[in-house]
Amino acid sequence: MSENGGALLQVEEVAKSFGGVQALRSGSFELSRGEIIAIVGANGAGKSTLIKIVAGVYRPDSGRMLVRGEPVAPRDHNVGHMRHLGIEVVYQDLAIVPNMNAPYNLFLGRIPKRFGIFVDENAMRRKTREILEDLKVTTVQSLREPISAMSGGQQQSVAIGRAIAWGREIVILDEPTAALGPTETGEVERLMHEIRDRGTAVILISHNLEQVFRLADRILVVHHGLTTPAFPRSGVTSEQLVRAITLGEQVA
């Protein structure tokens, strides 16, 4: 059992500097299974540094992280170990290979082999179709065409499917609908509800405050490298949230 009685993820006063610049002064929050927490803040506030610490891209200079109540040792604070713990990230650029099809993108770094030599493309297509059907994604029809031929929303669906396939515990979504139109945005937001309902916890980074109010269970503000205590979405107005983001005002 975790030290706080059940949090899936605990981030406690993590800080990170680059040279003489302190990108994150102190970041803290907790995340429960099946919860969507939105992290908001102005450009340069420290949001990206915070999520990259959670993802294992950066090792914090101080503070600590616990996953399912177990502290992450500094020597283990890396992307590979975080993935092993069930934390996956869908970055804004999706980290896809445009000339590869959906199955190859879904299995990047995890290509299955037959007899230890031949790529098992049938297994990849079968697993990809299974994941997309499980997420009720019906817009992706061909699994053989390059992913660059797909729409932005279809590419995002594949990227989220990849995170679910290999993460399942915690998925971090960095501005997942920034370049999408209204219809595709609606499909991606449906996917977020779908994975939350499956018990996967979601960390959403978004500048779209209307989206934050539609999706988030709780909201965390980062201002000048400091995080506020996370508060329920229902406990704040849009005006209060804007003031917290721009002025650092506390939300009662």
Side-chain angles (χ1 to χ4, degrees), residues 4-108:
N4 81 329
L8 179 59
L9 172 70
Q10 295 160 262
V11 180
E12 300 179 348
E13 298 181 351
V14 294
K16 184 67 180 177
S17 294
F18 300 96
V21 178
Q22 193 161 29
L24 185 66
R25 294 155 62 192
S26 181
S28 301
F29 70 96
E30 295 178 354
L31 182 66
S32 298
R33 197 176 303 278
E35 177 183 31
I36 298 178
I37 188 168
I39 299 179
V40 299
N43 289 333
K47 303 187 303 297
S48 293
T49 302
L50 178 59
I51 66 163
K52 286 180 177 179
I53 288 174
V54 174
V57 176
Y58 298 148
R59 182 181 298 172
D61 299 329
S62 59
R64 67 173 186 165
M65 267 181 53
L66 299 90
V67 179
R68 294 183 292 276
E70 295 296 324
V72 177
R75 68 177 181 277
D76 294 329
H77 202 112
N78 55 64
V79 172
H81 188 65
M82 294 308 173
R83 284 180 169 172
H84 175 72
L85 294 175
I87 301 173
E88 289 281 340
V89 188
V90 180
Y91 290 107
Q92 192 169 353
D93 64 4
L94 301 185
I96 60 175
V97 181
N99 63 337
M100 288 184 173
N101 60 28
Y104 269 96
N105 271 281
L106 191 138
F107 279 87
L108 278 177

Side-chain angles (χ1 to χ4, degrees), residues 213 219 231-242 244 251-252:
F213 277 103
I219 302 171
F231 46 84
R233 170 191 59 191
S234 59
V236 63
T237 65
S238 57
E239 292 79 10
Q240 287 175 314
L241 185 55
V242 168
V251 176

Side-chain angles (χ1 to χ4, degrees), residues 105-221:
N105 271 281
L106 191 138
F107 279 87
L108 278 177
R110 302 177 172 95
I111 302 294
K113 299 289 183 67
R114 291 184 295 115
F115 311 113
I117 301 174
F118 305 105
V119 174
D120 194 342
E121 294 190 356
N122 288 333
M124 290 166 59
R125 281 194 292 271
R126 186 167 58 250
K127 178 68 172 177
T128 301
R129 181 62 67 194
E130 179 184 302
I131 291 167
L132 294 177
E133 288 178 354
D134 194 33
L135 292 174
K136 301 181 177 64
V137 175
T138 59
T139 56
V140 178
Q141 299 299 322
S142 174
L143 297 183
R144 297 179 184 273
E145 65 181 358
I147 201 168
S148 58
M150 296 181 180
S151 69
Q154 291 170 332
Q155 292 181 27
Q156 186 68 265
S157 295
V158 172
I160 292 174
R162 180 175 61 195
I164 287 299
W166 311 120
R168 294 201 175 274
E169 293 278 12
I170 299 170
V171 174
I172 302 172
L173 299 174
D174 184 12
E175 298 288 351
T177 62
L180 303 182
T183 300
E184 293 179 324
T185 293
E187 173 62 13
V188 172
E189 291 184 358
R190 183 198 66 77
L191 272 179
M192 282 187 249
H193 282 297
E194 184 74 29
I195 61 179
R196 190 267 305 274
D197 291 346
R198 293 157 50 105
T200 298
V202 178
I203 300 173
L204 169 66
I205 295 84
S206 178
H207 282 96
N208 185 335
L209 298 188
E210 290 183 359
Q211 180 177 74
V212 167
F213 277 103
R214 282 196 300 272
L215 296 173
D217 298 302
R218 291 186 302 134
I219 302 171
L220 180 78
V221 176

